[in-house]
Amino acid sequence: MSHTVEWRVHLFLFEDEGRTKARIELDTGESALTGRGVARCNPDDEDVPAIGDELAAGRALHDLGEQLMRAAEHDIERVGAPPASPRPRPGYGWIA
């Protein structure tokens, strides 16, 4: 089965009150999702705007990815498949 589609993605970055904010909008033609991410420069660190852009954009992409996974899991269950087992959390970064 051959299947080709085009999804449109727009990524917006904003600097606001010492924070970099990212918004990513996905339009599949059938639905739309928005991911969001924020980064803040530690006052003791050198201000490198590109790092804030990367962190905020990466967090927005991660948020969007999680939304896509939830949508797919919902659609899988809707067509009668059993619920997926919980996904393990990645083993990196600080423990919350």
Side-chain angles (χ1 to χ4, degrees), residues 6-25:
E6 179 178 335
W7 288 2
R8 299 194 182 271
V9 177
H10 292 95
L11 175 63
F12 304 92
L13 295 165
F14 310 89
E15 291 286 331
D16 183 34
E17 298 181 17
R19 287 177 163 58
T20 302
K21 298 178 182 180
R23 184 179 78 234
I24 185 163
E25 298 174 353

